[in-house]
Amino acid sequence: MIRTVRLLPALLLGPVLLTGCGSERADEADPAELASRAGALGIAPELVYVTDAPGHTLAQQSVGVYGGEGFSAVYVSRQKGTQVQLTVDRGTMTEATCEEQPGAESSPAPVTCARDGDAWYRSSGQWAEYAVPKKDFVIRVGGTNVPRDVLREAADQLHRPSADELDTLLPSAPAGGEPVERGDLPPAGDGAPDNDVDQGG
């Protein structure tokens, strides 16, 4: 099943060897607090990551669940009108499966893959991404018409959120432990995520 997330409206909006994608930081958020906030949204806490994408800033309203229990966020550039999408989800990626996994829905071109340090650089038409395989999940940073060096830097800067970053990413869990209602689930029907873009964005 191809999983998609809603990108933000545009109004919001020379390869170098990549090594050591992502890093651990001493100021990581408290694990219990992260688990509480992520769990309230149906996100597996170990799948919550953030990054620094040159020229792009986090659009807080884009943060949410991806697929079943994954994590998604979008970083936007008002100046360039581009978006860098960060997704983290269960799965694997190897040389044998890299080109078989889907790319951007808007691009009919086949996906090509190139190893770049610890990651895979995947491209299809004007779309491209860096996919960073972990133990049992894959972190992706990608976008359309985003320069490769921007995506490479975003992949290199992947890290677990600090306490301050967590406050921006995820709200505090509600009192009583009641789960927060997912914004991508319709109030009626079969409960499948609603990825349609509303009128006006």
Side-chain angles (χ1 to χ4, degrees):
M1 179 180 68
I2 298 176
R3 293 169 175 170
T4 60
V5 295
R6 179 169 52 192
L7 292 183
L8 298 177
L11 291 177
L12 293 176
L13 301 181
V16 179
L17 181 64
L18 180 65
T19 59
C21 297
S23 61
E24 301 298 328
R25 301 191 177 189
D27 61 344
E28 283 188 18
D30 176 67
E33 184 66 20
L34 173 57
S36 175
R37 298 189 189 189
L41 295 175
I43 301 170
E46 64 272 21
L47 302 183
V48 178
Y49 276 76
V50 294
T51 190
D52 298 309
H56 295 70
T57 57
L58 175 71
Q60 198 280 331
Q61 67 270 35
S62 73
V63 176
V65 68
Y66 178 77
E69 60 175 4
F71 175 77
S72 176
V74 176
Y75 295 76
V76 301
S77 169
R78 293 180 181 274
Q79 181 180 10
K80 300 291 186 180
T82 54
Q83 304 180 17
V84 174
Q85 181 181 348
L86 163 65
T87 61
V88 190
D89 202 12
R90 302 291 183 192
T92 60
M93 184 172 292
T94 65
E95 183 176 5
T97 64
C98 183
E99 293 185 355
E100 298 175 356
Q101 298 194 29
E105 290 186 340
S106 60
S107 175
V111 174
T112 61
C113 294
R115 191 70 177 179
D116 192 345
D118 295 336
W120 291 99
Y121 179 71
R122 309 175 69 238
S123 60
S124 173
Q126 299 301 309
W127 170 88
E129 74 172 8
Y130 270 97
V132 185
K134 297 293 185 180
K135 183 177 181 180
D136 65 349
F137 60 91
V138 180
I139 310 174
R140 304 167 187 258
V141 286
T144 300
N145 295 320
V146 180
R148 180 170 178 172
D149 62 331
V150 172
L151 297 178
R152 185 198 66 82
E153 182 67 14
D156 195 39
Q157 294 298 320
L158 287 166
H159 60 277
R160 299 282 281 164
S162 67
D164 288 341
E165 289 170 329
L166 181 61
D167 287 339
T168 300
L169 282 172
L170 301 172
S172 299
E178 293 296 326
V180 175
E181 182 178 353
R182 280 178 53 165
D184 63 338
L185 296 182
D190 61 4
D194 179 6
N195 293 313
D196 293 334
V197 177
D198 297 330
Q199 183 176 0

PDB file of all heavy atoms in Angstrom, residues 153-174:
ATOM      1  N   GLU A 153      22.019  17.853   3.181  1.00  0.00           N
ATOM      2  CA  GLU A 153      22.234  18.477   4.481  1.00  0.00           C
ATOM      3  C   GLU A 153      21.112  18.106   5.445  1.00  0.00           C
ATOM      4  O   GLU A 153      21.353  17.850   6.633  1.00  0.00           O
ATOM      5  CB  GLU A 153      22.312  20.002   4.326  1.00  0.00           C
ATOM      6  CG  GLU A 153      22.577  20.751   5.622  1.00  0.00           C
ATOM      7  CD  GLU A 153      23.961  20.499   6.194  1.00  0.00           C
ATOM      8  OE1 GLU A 153      24.820  19.959   5.472  1.00  0.00           O
ATOM      9  OE2 GLU A 153      24.168  20.836   7.379  1.00  0.00           O
ATOM     10  N   ALA A 154      19.892  18.068   4.940  1.00  0.00           N
ATOM     11  CA  ALA A 154      18.760  17.679   5.790  1.00  0.00           C
ATOM     12  C   ALA A 154      18.927  16.246   6.297  1.00  0.00           C
ATOM     13  O   ALA A 154      18.621  15.943   7.455  1.00  0.00           O
ATOM     14  CB  ALA A 154      17.453  17.820   5.023  1.00  0.00           C
ATOM     15  N   ALA A 155      19.407  15.364   5.442  1.00  0.00           N
ATOM     16  CA  ALA A 155      19.640  13.986   5.867  1.00  0.00           C
ATOM     17  C   ALA A 155      20.771  13.904   6.886  1.00  0.00           C
ATOM     18  O   ALA A 155      20.713  13.145   7.852  1.00  0.00           O
ATOM     19  CB  ALA A 155      19.957  13.105   4.658  1.00  0.00           C
ATOM     20  N   ASP A 156      21.800  14.715   6.667  1.00  0.00           N
ATOM     21  CA  ASP A 156      22.947  14.705   7.572  1.00  0.00           C
ATOM     22  C   ASP A 156      22.583  15.260   8.947  1.00  0.00           C
ATOM     23  O   ASP A 156      23.205  14.902   9.947  1.00  0.00           O
ATOM     24  CB  ASP A 156      24.084  15.526   6.960  1.00  0.00           C
ATOM     25  CG  ASP A 156      25.413  15.275   7.645  1.00  0.00           C
ATOM     26  OD1 ASP A 156      25.687  14.119   8.001  1.00  0.00           O
ATOM     27  OD2 ASP A 156      26.176  16.245   7.823  1.00  0.00           O
ATOM     28  N   GLN A 157      21.579  16.147   9.008  1.00  0.00           N
ATOM     29  CA  GLN A 157      21.203  16.804  10.256  1.00  0.00           C
ATOM     30  C   GLN A 157      20.063  16.105  10.995  1.00  0.00           C
ATOM     31  O   GLN A 157      19.565  16.628  11.995  1.00  0.00           O
ATOM     32  CB  GLN A 157      20.805  18.259   9.973  1.00  0.00           C
ATOM     33  CG  GLN A 157      21.945  19.132   9.488  1.00  0.00           C
ATOM     34  CD  GLN A 157      23.059  19.243  10.511  1.00  0.00           C
ATOM     35  OE1 GLN A 157      22.807  19.353  11.710  1.00  0.00           O
ATOM     36  NE2 GLN A 157      24.306  19.194  10.055  1.00  0.00           N
ATOM     37  N   LEU A 158      19.657  14.952  10.543  1.00  0.00           N
ATOM     38  CA  LEU A 158      18.584  14.228  11.225  1.00  0.00           C
ATOM     39  C   LEU A 158      18.980  13.897  12.653  1.00  0.00           C
ATOM     40  O   LEU A 158      20.086  13.423  12.912  1.00  0.00           O
ATOM     41  CB  LEU A 158      18.263  12.929  10.475  1.00  0.00           C
ATOM     42  CG  LEU A 158      17.518  13.087   9.144  1.00  0.00           C
ATOM     43  CD1 LEU A 158      17.578  11.790   8.359  1.00  0.00           C
ATOM     44  CD2 LEU A 158      16.082  13.510   9.392  1.00  0.00           C
ATOM     45  N   HIS A 159      18.066  14.134  13.587  1.00  0.00           N
ATOM     46  CA  HIS A 159      18.344  13.827  14.987  1.00  0.00           C
ATOM     47  C   HIS A 159      17.050  13.713  15.766  1.00  0.00           C
ATOM     48  O   HIS A 159      15.990  14.135  15.307  1.00  0.00           O
ATOM     49  CB  HIS A 159      19.245  14.898  15.610  1.00  0.00           C
ATOM     50  CG  HIS A 159      18.653  16.276  15.585  1.00  0.00           C
ATOM     51  ND1 HIS A 159      18.738  17.102  14.478  1.00  0.00           N
ATOM     52  CD2 HIS A 159      17.964  16.986  16.523  1.00  0.00           C
ATOM     53  CE1 HIS A 159      18.139  18.254  14.730  1.00  0.00           C
ATOM     54  NE2 HIS A 159      17.649  18.212  15.969  1.00  0.00           N
ATOM     55  N   ARG A 160      17.158  13.147  16.925  1.00  0.00           N
ATOM     56  CA  ARG A 160      16.013  13.064  17.836  1.00  0.00           C
ATOM     57  C   ARG A 160      15.759  14.452  18.415  1.00  0.00           C
ATOM     58  O   ARG A 160      16.691  15.239  18.620  1.00  0.00           O
ATOM     59  CB  ARG A 160      16.314  12.068  18.944  1.00  0.00           C
ATOM     60  CG  ARG A 160      16.571  10.665  18.439  1.00  0.00           C
ATOM     61  CD  ARG A 160      15.286   9.952  18.095  1.00  0.00           C
ATOM     62  NE  ARG A 160      14.649   9.453  19.309  1.00  0.00           N
ATOM     63  CZ  ARG A 160      13.390   9.067  19.394  1.00  0.00           C
ATOM     64  NH1 ARG A 160      12.612   9.168  18.344  1.00  0.00           N
ATOM     65  NH2 ARG A 160      12.905   8.615  20.525  1.00  0.00           N
ATOM     66  N   PRO A 161      14.496  14.821  18.673  1.00  0.00           N
ATOM     67  CA  PRO A 161      14.204  16.185  19.103  1.00  0.00           C
ATOM     68  C   PRO A 161      14.722  16.508  20.495  1.00  0.00           C
ATOM     69  O   PRO A 161      14.734  15.655  21.386  1.00  0.00           O
ATOM     70  CB  PRO A 161      12.674  16.242  19.066  1.00  0.00           C
ATOM     71  CG  PRO A 161      12.241  14.821  19.245  1.00  0.00           C
ATOM     72  CD  PRO A 161      13.271  14.004  18.537  1.00  0.00           C
ATOM     73  N   SER A 162      15.128  17.744  20.670  1.00  0.00           N
ATOM     74  CA  SER A 162      15.477  18.267  21.991  1.00  0.00           C
ATOM     75  C   SER A 162      14.174  18.622  22.705  1.00  0.00           C
ATOM     76  O   SER A 162      13.085  18.569  22.127  1.00  0.00           O
ATOM     77  CB  SER A 162      16.360  19.496  21.858  1.00  0.00           C
ATOM     78  OG  SER A 162      15.612  20.567  21.274  1.00  0.00           O
ATOM     79  N   ALA A 163      14.287  19.028  23.961  1.00  0.00           N
ATOM     80  CA  ALA A 163      13.093  19.427  24.717  1.00  0.00           C
ATOM     81  C   ALA A 163      12.403  20.607  24.047  1.00  0.00           C
ATOM     82  O   ALA A 163      11.165  20.639  23.927  1.00  0.00           O
ATOM     83  CB  ALA A 163      13.478  19.764  26.156  1.00  0.00           C
ATOM     84  N   ASP A 164      13.165  21.588  23.595  1.00  0.00           N
ATOM     85  CA  ASP A 164      12.576  22.751  22.935  1.00  0.00           C
ATOM     86  C   ASP A 164      11.932  22.364  21.605  1.00  0.00           C
ATOM     87  O   ASP A 164      10.840  22.844  21.257  1.00  0.00           O
ATOM     88  CB  ASP A 164      13.641  23.831  22.699  1.00  0.00           C
ATOM     89  CG  ASP A 164      14.075  24.514  23.984  1.00  0.00           C
ATOM     90  OD1 ASP A 164      13.323  24.427  24.987  1.00  0.00           O
ATOM     91  OD2 ASP A 164      15.155  25.135  23.986  1.00  0.00           O
ATOM     92  N   GLU A 165      12.600  21.492  20.847  1.00  0.00           N
ATOM     93  CA  GLU A 165      12.047  21.056  19.572  1.00  0.00           C
ATOM     94  C   GLU A 165      10.771  20.247  19.775  1.00  0.00           C
ATOM     95  O   GLU A 165       9.830  20.341  18.980  1.00  0.00           O
ATOM     96  CB  GLU A 165      13.086  20.243  18.804  1.00  0.00           C
ATOM     97  CG  GLU A 165      14.234  21.088  18.269  1.00  0.00           C
ATOM     98  CD  GLU A 165      15.370  20.257  17.724  1.00  0.00           C
ATOM     99  OE1 GLU A 165      15.604  19.136  18.235  1.00  0.00           O
ATOM    100  OE2 GLU A 165      16.043  20.726  16.794  1.00  0.00           O
ATOM    101  N   LEU A 166      10.730  19.467  20.846  1.00  0.00           N
ATOM    102  CA  LEU A 166       9.535  18.675  21.131  1.00  0.00           C
ATOM    103  C   LEU A 166       8.341  19.577  21.407  1.00  0.00           C
ATOM    104  O   LEU A 166       7.218  19.286  20.986  1.00  0.00           O
ATOM    105  CB  LEU A 166       9.788  17.750  22.322  1.00  0.00           C
ATOM    106  CG  LEU A 166       8.623  16.839  22.719  1.00  0.00           C
ATOM    107  CD1 LEU A 166       8.255  15.908  21.565  1.00  0.00           C
ATOM    108  CD2 LEU A 166       8.978  16.031  23.963  1.00  0.00           C
ATOM    109  N   ASP A 167       8.567  20.679  22.107  1.00  0.00           N
ATOM    110  CA  ASP A 167       7.477  21.620  22.384  1.00  0.00           C
ATOM    111  C   ASP A 167       6.900  22.192  21.097  1.00  0.00           C
ATOM    112  O   ASP A 167       5.703  22.495  21.020  1.00  0.00           O
ATOM    113  CB  ASP A 167       7.966  22.761  23.276  1.00  0.00           C
ATOM    114  CG  ASP A 167       8.185  22.320  24.721  1.00  0.00           C
ATOM    115  OD1 ASP A 167       7.592  21.294  25.119  1.00  0.00           O
ATOM    116  OD2 ASP A 167       8.948  22.993  25.434  1.00  0.00           O
ATOM    117  N   THR A 168       7.739  22.366  20.090  1.00  0.00           N
ATOM    118  CA  THR A 168       7.272  22.879  18.806  1.00  0.00           C
ATOM    119  C   THR A 168       6.593  21.783  17.996  1.00  0.00           C
ATOM    120  O   THR A 168       5.564  22.018  17.350  1.00  0.00           O
ATOM    121  CB  THR A 168       8.452  23.452  18.003  1.00  0.00           C
ATOM    122  OG1 THR A 168       9.055  24.513  18.745  1.00  0.00           O
ATOM    123  CG2 THR A 168       7.986  23.985  16.649  1.00  0.00           C
ATOM    124  N   LEU A 169       7.142  20.586  18.043  1.00  0.00           N
ATOM    125  CA  LEU A 169       6.638  19.484  17.229  1.00  0.00           C
ATOM    126  C   LEU A 169       5.291  18.964  17.694  1.00  0.00           C
ATOM    127  O   LEU A 169       4.343  18.839  16.906  1.00  0.00           O
ATOM    128  CB  LEU A 169       7.631  18.322  17.249  1.00  0.00           C
ATOM    129  CG  LEU A 169       8.875  18.386  16.381  1.00  0.00           C
ATOM    130  CD1 LEU A 169       9.781  17.226  16.719  1.00  0.00           C
ATOM    131  CD2 LEU A 169       8.497  18.361  14.914  1.00  0.00           C
ATOM    132  N   LEU A 170       5.215  18.632  18.981  1.00  0.00           N
ATOM    133  CA  LEU A 170       4.064  17.894  19.495  1.00  0.00           C
ATOM    134  C   LEU A 170       3.472  18.586  20.713  1.00  0.00           C
ATOM    135  O   LEU A 170       4.202  19.022  21.597  1.00  0.00           O
ATOM    136  CB  LEU A 170       4.482  16.459  19.873  1.00  0.00           C
ATOM    137  CG  LEU A 170       5.086  15.607  18.746  1.00  0.00           C
ATOM    138  CD1 LEU A 170       5.632  14.311  19.301  1.00  0.00           C
ATOM    139  CD2 LEU A 170       4.043  15.331  17.670  1.00  0.00           C
ATOM    140  N   PRO A 171       2.167  18.667  20.783  1.00  0.00           N
ATOM    141  CA  PRO A 171       1.528  19.274  21.957  1.00  0.00           C
ATOM    142  C   PRO A 171       1.634  18.361  23.159  1.00  0.00           C
ATOM    143  O   PRO A 171       1.930  17.169  23.037  1.00  0.00           O
ATOM    144  CB  PRO A 171       0.075  19.415  21.499  1.00  0.00           C
ATOM    145  CG  PRO A 171      -0.115  18.270  20.550  1.00  0.00           C
ATOM    146  CD  PRO A 171       1.197  18.151  19.810  1.00  0.00           C
ATOM    147  N   SER A 172       1.411  18.918  24.331  1.00  0.00           N
ATOM    148  CA  SER A 172       1.381  18.111  25.541  1.00  0.00           C
ATOM    149  C   SER A 172       0.191  17.160  25.481  1.00  0.00           C
ATOM    150  O   SER A 172      -0.864  17.494  24.942  1.00  0.00           O
ATOM    151  CB  SER A 172       1.259  19.003  26.779  1.00  0.00           C
ATOM    152  OG  SER A 172       2.358  19.870  26.894  1.00  0.00           O
ATOM    153  N   ALA A 173       0.371  15.965  26.032  1.00  0.00           N
ATOM    154  CA  ALA A 173      -0.711  14.992  26.065  1.00  0.00           C
ATOM    155  C   ALA A 173      -1.840  15.534  26.924  1.00  0.00           C
ATOM    156  O   ALA A 173      -1.602  16.125  27.975  1.00  0.00           O
ATOM    157  CB  ALA A 173      -0.211  13.658  26.620  1.00  0.00           C
ATOM    158  N   PRO A 174      -3.111  15.370  26.528  1.00  0.00           N
ATOM    159  CA  PRO A 174      -4.233  15.896  27.301  1.00  0.00           C
ATOM    160  C   PRO A 174      -4.361  15.203  28.648  1.00  0.00           C
ATOM    161  O   PRO A 174      -3.947  14.058  28.818  1.00  0.00           O
ATOM    162  CB  PRO A 174      -5.442  15.606  26.405  1.00  0.00           C
ATOM    163  CG  PRO A 174      -5.010  14.445  25.560  1.00  0.00           C
ATOM    164  CD  PRO A 174      -3.536  14.654  25.327  1.00  0.00           C
TER     165      PRO A 174
END
